[in-house]
Amino acid sequence: MKEIYECIIIGGGFAGLQASIQLGRYKRKTLVIDTNYGRSTYCKSYRNILGWPNGISGLHLRELGKKQATEYGVSFLEDKVISVKKSDTTFEIKTEKGLTFDAKTILLATGLLDRIPDIKHIFDCLGTSIYVCPDCDGYEISDKSVLVLGAGIAGANMALEIHYWTNKITYINHDGEELETDVLNQLKHKGIVYQKEKIIEIVKDKDSNFKGITLKNGDVLLADRAFIGFGGNKISNELAKQLGVELLNNKHVIVNPRTKETNVSNVWSAGDLVAHSQQVTIAMGEGTQAAVWIHKRLLEIN
């Protein structure tokens, strides 16, 4: 007889990990299936999390979370879920490696991936001196010179947003459309320098700290820090679509604000797959909240 998990969590980022810890503490038979790649794997220092004033890398925090969940009996599998099918009482889950699992409940925590062009050395500096999220890391650029590496209106909006932290900003439109006149005027009004040119390489020091960029035309622009704003982020909602989960116009999953359950019974979602502020701490909170209500449902159906 095939083993049935009480909950299978798809995605092992911070929402999925926090949910797994909570479900483990409920002594629920839980499996986390994760590719071990995502936003949280390439950020080298989160500095806005309670208890980590000097920062902690995404990989380290994930390792700590996985170890903690494992101690509560949670199982982990490095694999990619390619299909989820609902039957009367369970879900059938199939993976890229050809494995099949059954679960009574599902938590979708597949998140999203930022679009980051193939620019030499960009990942070396990401999360330490090149940033993605102004809410997370705007503080780090206070009064520093900053290059915004971006595309079209997405990069322009990033430059305008981080102006709160510094007035020494240059926006390099790497691969986007030319900006409309009103946007150019907004940048000019804020004193933001604008240039449309391909970025070839990140200039860094021996410790992989950002120092500037080399452009296709040969120019080298130096600055203290950088933000990226390329737009076109990929929301990993394929499994949600398979299940008939309702989506917003921006392709994020809609959940009950209190329970984090989707419109499909016994399917929950948390983290960056859901429309929220895309913060580590919020993802963790949503993971816990979803797990609490998954436990309540299991009390009903077991």
Side-chain angles (χ1 to χ4, degrees):
M1 185 175 177
K2 189 184 291 185
E3 186 176 37
I4 299 177
Y5 285 90
E6 291 182 289
C7 183
I8 289 183
I9 299 171
I10 305 173
F14 300 128
L17 283 171
Q18 187 66 56
S20 73
I21 291 168
Q22 186 68 27
L23 287 168
R25 289 175 61 84
Y26 284 133
K27 301 182 179 181
R28 294 298 185 181
K29 189 169 185 59
T30 303
L31 171 66
V32 180
I33 305 176
D34 181 47
T35 61
N36 203 31
Y37 179 77
R39 256 185 165 185
S40 57
T41 63
Y42 54 66
C43 184
K44 299 180 185 68
S45 182
Y46 292 102
R47 294 178 178 270
N48 64 334
I49 301 175
L50 178 67
W52 300 96
N54 297 318
I56 181 171
S57 75
L59 280 173
H60 188 196
L61 192 55
R62 284 170 64 109
E63 289 167 2
L64 291 173
K66 184 175 180 180
K67 181 177 183 292
Q68 189 173 350
T70 301
E71 290 172 354
Y72 290 121
V74 174
S75 300
F76 285 82
L77 173 67
E78 187 172 332
D79 202 346
K80 181 178 181 179
V81 175
I82 56 174
S83 73
V84 181
K85 186 184 297 184
K86 187 175 184 180
S87 65
D88 290 338
T89 58
T90 59
F91 298 88
E92 183 184 74
I93 295 166
K94 293 185 177 179
T95 75
E96 201 169 61
K97 294 178 180 178
L99 302 175
T100 303
F101 303 93
D102 287 341
K104 294 179 180 179
T105 63
I106 296 290
L107 173 61
L108 298 174
T110 45
L112 63 81
L113 285 173
D114 301 272
R115 184 177 79 86
I116 303 176
D118 186 18
I119 298 170
K120 189 175 181 180
H121 300 315
I122 194 166
F123 281 95
D124 296 343
C125 304
L126 204 61
T128 53
S129 50
I130 298 179
Y131 308 110
V132 175
C133 171
D135 298 310
C136 302
D137 293 313
Y139 178 86
E140 305 299 329
I141 64 166
S142 296
D143 301 319
K144 290 181 168 58
S145 59
V146 179
L147 300 182
V148 174
L149 322 179
I153 189 63
N157 286 338
M158 177 63 77
L160 291 166
E161 184 172 358
I162 67 170
H163 185 266
Y164 173 83
W165 299 103
T166 180
N167 59 9
K168 293 174 279 191
I169 302 170
T170 298
Y171 168 36
I172 309 300
N173 186 352
H174 168 72
D175 63 357
E177 298 295 324
E178 187 55 88
L179 301 178
E180 299 289 340
T181 301
D182 65 325
V183 179
L184 290 171
N185 287 338
Q186 289 180 59
L187 295 175
K188 185 177 180 180
H189 177 71
K190 295 287 188 182
I192 297 169
V193 179
Y194 172 69
Q195 186 172 349
K196 190 175 192 307
E197 184 68 41
K198 289 279 187 181
I199 303 164
I200 301 302
E201 182 178 0
I202 302 299
V203 179
K204 61 172 187 171
D205 65 16
K206 60 182 178 60
D207 297 317
S208 290
N209 293 308
F210 176 83
K211 293 299 178 183
I213 58 174
T214 302
L215 299 176
K216 187 176 181 180
N217 64 11
D219 289 349
V220 176
L221 303 182
L222 301 179
D224 299 319
R225 298 288 187 271
F227 258 91
I228 63 170
F230 293 104
N233 295 347
K234 184 181 183 299
I235 302 163
S236 303
N237 59 15
E238 297 84 3
L239 300 177
K241 289 179 179 177
Q242 288 181 23
L243 288 164
V245 168
E246 189 177 358
L247 305 178
L248 292 165
N249 290 337
N250 64 7
K251 301 179 182 179
H252 286 276
V253 165
I254 297 173
V255 295
N256 180 298
R258 185 183 184 200
T259 67
K260 304 305 170 186
E261 189 173 15
T262 70
N263 63 299
V264 178
S265 181
N266 296 335
V267 177
W268 281 259
S269 187
D272 287 352
L273 180 59
V274 178
H276 72 176
S277 297
Q278 296 179 19
Q279 295 276 306
V280 172
T281 49
I282 293 174
M284 289 177 173
E286 288 186 349
T288 296
Q289 199 169 355
V292 168
W293 287 91
I294 290 169
H295 170 65
K296 291 178 186 294
R297 182 63 51 77
L298 290 169
L299 289 173
E300 296 174 4
I301 64 179
N302 278 349

